[in-house]
Amino acid sequence: MGTGYTTIMYDAEEIEAALGDIAACRYDGVEIGVEKIRAAGPENVGRWLDDYGLELYLAMGEWLETEAAVQRMVDGMPMLAEVDAEFVGILPPQRQRHDRETVEAWLSRVSRAARDAGLRPVVHHHGATAVEQPDETRSYLDAVDGLELVWDTAHYYPYGDNFPAGDVTDGIERFADDIAYVHLKDVDPVKEFAANRDALSNADFHLDNVINYFRSFTDLGEGLIDFAGVYEALSDAGYDGHYTIEIENRTERPLVHAKQNYDVWRDVRAD
């Protein structure tokens, strides 16, 4: 079990610098997008990971919006095995863009290719996508052989039983047997957050709905999520995997945010 950080706020040409920042903040591991690994070169990424003493917890795939994207993910599995990724993250297509049969078939193909390469496939339930709400998440996990779950505090929050309170532990109880990897981020909801959520669930991707929904995601401790409760519930459920902090919309001073979030999570675990 370790604490990781994502490289979302760094461009592909900044991956070496990102790993240096993350290592300096005393993280154990990292999450990198597949497209960034490809652009930076897997041989370079592997060397940088070794240089900074970091594990590649998860390689996050591109959005499965087209047949070509699915095939790129399938074809890229040997590259991800080469850099010793433990997990491959699968990002579902946008909501209502493809029918259920297509989404299930695409998830199955990518999952099978990952397992054939010795990697663990995990689907990311995500707002405004085909795998958004708990019942949908459950149905795809049941339908796709070997598929596990990236459970995300912020993306579960809008659909949990306790919304709008920050207790998301019902999601942990519901998916305890499926959670293989955890994303941590907080939510500081804008005034019309529920309305924005409902619009995205209805595939109304008006710019205001998208921006107001996703800008509500924030650094740990600056929103409503009860992270002490999250850690206790996951520990009680027997979860012994990684915790990766995913900060995606704090584009300035990424090193500062990495350190601040590490300190918050360290304190949660110490209590």
Side-chain angles (χ1 to χ4, degrees), residues 43-137:
E43 66 287 345
N44 292 326
V45 173
R47 184 175 70 255
W48 297 332
L49 288 165
D50 289 341
D51 288 346
Y52 289 109
L54 292 168
E55 296 180 43
L56 179 54
Y57 288 164
L58 182 144
M60 185 60 78
E62 61 180 291
W63 298 99
L64 299 187
E65 296 291 356
T66 64
E67 175 66 30
V70 174
Q71 193 59 50
R72 282 193 297 271
M73 284 298 299
V74 169
D75 293 341
M77 293 304 171
M79 174 190 72
L80 303 182
E82 178 185 338
V83 292
D84 293 327
E86 183 176 355
F87 295 94
V88 175
I90 305 176
L91 292 171
Q94 196 173 70
R95 196 156 187 81
Q96 297 184 18
R97 180 168 290 186
H98 302 283
D99 59 30
R100 160 76 195 217
E101 183 179 1
T102 299
V103 176
E104 184 179 323
W106 285 355
L107 293 175
S108 295
R109 282 175 56 194
V110 176
S111 179
R112 182 168 57 251
R115 289 184 287 114
D116 288 347
L119 307 169
R120 293 176 66 181
V122 286
V123 65
H124 189 342
H125 66 101
H126 197 287
T129 75
V131 187
E132 178 192 73
Q133 299 172 35
D135 287 347
E136 295 166 337
T137 304

Side-chain angles (χ1 to χ4, degrees), residues 17 25 38 62 80 83 104 129 216 225 228 234 239 250 268:
C25 294
R38 187 179 289 116
E62 61 180 291
L80 303 182
V83 292
E104 184 179 323
T129 75
S216 296
I225 302 294
L234 283 164
Y239 179 75
R250 294 291 184 267
V268 167

Side-chain angles (χ1 to χ4, degrees), residues 57-257:
Y57 288 164
L58 182 144
M60 185 60 78
E62 61 180 291
W63 298 99
L64 299 187
E65 296 291 356
T66 64
E67 175 66 30
V70 174
Q71 193 59 50
R72 282 193 297 271
M73 284 298 299
V74 169
D75 293 341
M77 293 304 171
M79 174 190 72
L80 303 182
E82 178 185 338
V83 292
D84 293 327
E86 183 176 355
F87 295 94
V88 175
I90 305 176
L91 292 171
Q94 196 173 70
R95 196 156 187 81
Q96 297 184 18
R97 180 168 290 186
H98 302 283
D99 59 30
R100 160 76 195 217
E101 183 179 1
T102 299
V103 176
E104 184 179 323
W106 285 355
L107 293 175
S108 295
R109 282 175 56 194
V110 176
S111 179
R112 182 168 57 251
R115 289 184 287 114
D116 288 347
L119 307 169
R120 293 176 66 181
V122 286
V123 65
H124 189 342
H125 66 101
H126 197 287
T129 75
V131 187
E132 178 192 73
Q133 299 172 35
D135 287 347
E136 295 166 337
T137 304
R138 175 77 275 146
S139 69
Y140 283 111
L141 288 169
D142 289 343
V144 178
D145 289 343
L147 186 62
E148 299 176 276
L149 182 63
V150 178
W151 189 79
D152 187 299
T153 55
H155 282 285
Y156 186 81
Y157 166 76
Y159 312 103
D161 293 342
N162 301 311
F163 178 83
D167 178 2
V168 293
T169 55
D170 62 293
I172 296 168
E173 295 166 2
R174 180 166 189 166
F175 294 105
D177 293 335
D178 304 283
I179 297 172
Y181 188 81
V182 171
H183 271 172
L184 302 171
K185 59 176 172 278
D186 214 339
V187 185
D188 183 16
V190 296
K191 183 178 180 181
E192 301 298 329
F193 183 79
N196 296 138
R197 174 203 62 193
D198 294 344
L200 296 182
S201 293
N202 290 318
D204 178 6
F205 301 119
H206 188 280
L207 188 59
D208 286 345
N209 295 327
V210 175
I211 290 176
N212 288 332
Y213 183 87
F214 288 104
R215 79 175 183 181
S216 296
F217 297 161
T218 189
D219 296 285
L220 306 192
E222 295 190 0
L224 299 177
I225 302 294
D226 175 11
F227 287 101
V230 166
Y231 183 60
E232 180 179 3
L234 283 164
S235 298
D236 289 346
Y239 179 75
D240 61 357
H242 305 307
Y243 292 88
T244 290
I245 298 169
E246 185 190 42
I247 305 303
E248 55 191 294
N249 53 7
R250 294 291 184 267
T251 55
E252 297 183 4
R253 304 188 301 162
L255 173 60
V256 173
H257 287 282

